[in-house]
Amino acid sequence: MYQYTIMLATPSGRTTSEDPVRLPARRADANDGFDAAFMDEALAEARRAAAEDEVPIGAVVVLDGRVIARAHNETRTRRDPTAHAELLAISAAARAAGAMRLPGAVVYTTVEPCFMCAGALLHARIARVVWAVRDPKFGACASLGAVLTEPGLNHAVDHREGVRADEARELLVAFFQKKRADARR
């Protein structure tokens, strides 16, 4: 059995992460090693975000087994609510590939994409997205919706969650604890 502590939104709207969620054991996936290694790259971007006083979310875009773009949240730095890690990474990847569509690309992000980012994943024709932790307040792929697999759309994005979840959660918790402590001063 794998064990992850996942942030869950309860029916009352409260968020809890008190109890570990046990996921059924699964056969090892051929992507397990790659997913962990590329998520480490996304976590490095998240650490850069935290160092810049941004919410610690990082993303990388992988095509043909290599990172072609990387980014972290820059919403505060740019004073731009759309400067999410995933959007910045997808934009950089499109420029690097010289195309607006990125078929075969995989996006690794430390937090479940929001509705805006999920829409960009679909428009870019990303093949797969892997995220570390769910976002119970804004997550559009599993928490609040299932945008990536909506049957009415002309493209679906395969996804996986929980890769390096503990590390991503620790970054987020530390960041927001510091913010709260600073606000009390």
Side-chain angles (χ1 to χ4, degrees), residues 42-124:
L43 285 162
E45 285 297 319
R47 287 184 197 94
R48 286 184 189 97
E52 295 172 12
D53 198 35
E54 294 280 356
V55 175
I57 299 173
V60 297
V61 180
V62 175
L63 187 62
D64 297 328
R66 66 182 183 86
V67 174
I68 63 166
R70 60 183 66 238
H72 55 271
N73 269 18
E74 293 186 31
T75 57
R76 294 171 185 203
T77 303
R78 294 183 184 209
R79 293 180 177 88
D80 179 356
T82 68
H84 289 198
E86 300 92 333
L87 290 182
L88 297 173
I90 291 168
S91 291
R95 285 191 303 277
M100 65 182 242
R101 306 267 193 247
L102 299 165
V106 180
V107 172
Y108 292 86
T109 180
T110 56
V111 176
E112 174 187 5
C114 69
F115 285 91
M116 176 176 64
C117 294
L121 293 165
L122 289 162
H123 281 288

Side-chain angles (χ1 to χ4, degrees), residues 116-160:
M116 176 176 64
C117 294
L121 293 165
L122 289 162
H123 281 288
R125 303 299 191 267
I126 299 295
R128 186 167 174 259
V129 62
V130 178
W131 70 83
V133 294
R134 286 191 180 191
D135 183 345
K137 294 183 180 179
F138 292 100
C141 307
S143 297
L144 299 177
V147 172
L148 300 179
T149 56
E150 175 60 39
L153 298 173
N154 65 351
H155 179 68
V157 179
D158 187 26
H159 60 277
R160 178 179 180 199

Side-chain angles (χ1 to χ4, degrees), residues 158-173:
D158 187 26
H159 60 277
R160 178 179 180 199
E161 66 181 281
V163 177
R164 299 283 196 253
D166 291 338
E167 294 94 326
R169 185 174 301 100
E170 287 169 14
L171 282 171
L172 290 163
V173 167

